[in-house]
């Protein structure tokens, strides 16, 4: 099943600049967690609730073991913006 998602409409003259800005925002996110979310969102269309709950538990275990998770928790307690490295 194909699903598109439109998040913003910009004039053609600003497309390159907006695309770069969006890519930079994505790159600054915890990429492992983003990948897991994307994977299981796609699977959700053909999975039961029980299967998705199992997938969620698995994804939480994986994401919770990353350096990005540890950085996010540290940043929260230090009241600063996290600096994710993608691992």
């Amino acid at each position: 099943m194909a699903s598109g998602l439109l998040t913003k409409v910009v004039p053609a003259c600003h497309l390159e600049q907006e695309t770069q800005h969006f890519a930079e925002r994505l790159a600054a996110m915890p990429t492992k967690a983003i990948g897991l979310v994307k994977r299981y969102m796609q699977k959700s269309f053909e999975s039961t609730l029980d299967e998705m709950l199992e997938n969620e538990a698995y994804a939480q275990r994986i994401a919770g073991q990353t350096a990005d998770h540890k950085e996010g928790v540290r940043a929260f307690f230090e009241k600063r913006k996290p600096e994710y490295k993608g691992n």
Side-chain angles (χ1 to χ4, degrees), residues 48-66:
T48 66
L49 176 59
D50 286 340
E51 290 169 333
M52 287 309 299
L53 291 172
E54 295 254 345
N55 291 337
E56 172 70 13
Y58 173 76
Q60 288 291 334
R61 280 193 305 274
I62 298 300
Q65 296 174 4
T66 65

Side-chain angles (χ1 to χ4, degrees), residues 28 30 68 71-76 79-85:
D68 279 347
E71 166 60 10
V73 172
R74 272 193 307 273
F76 175 80
K79 296 181 176 18
R80 63 174 173 79
K81 185 176 179 182
E83 297 178 23
Y84 298 117
K85 306 291 185 202

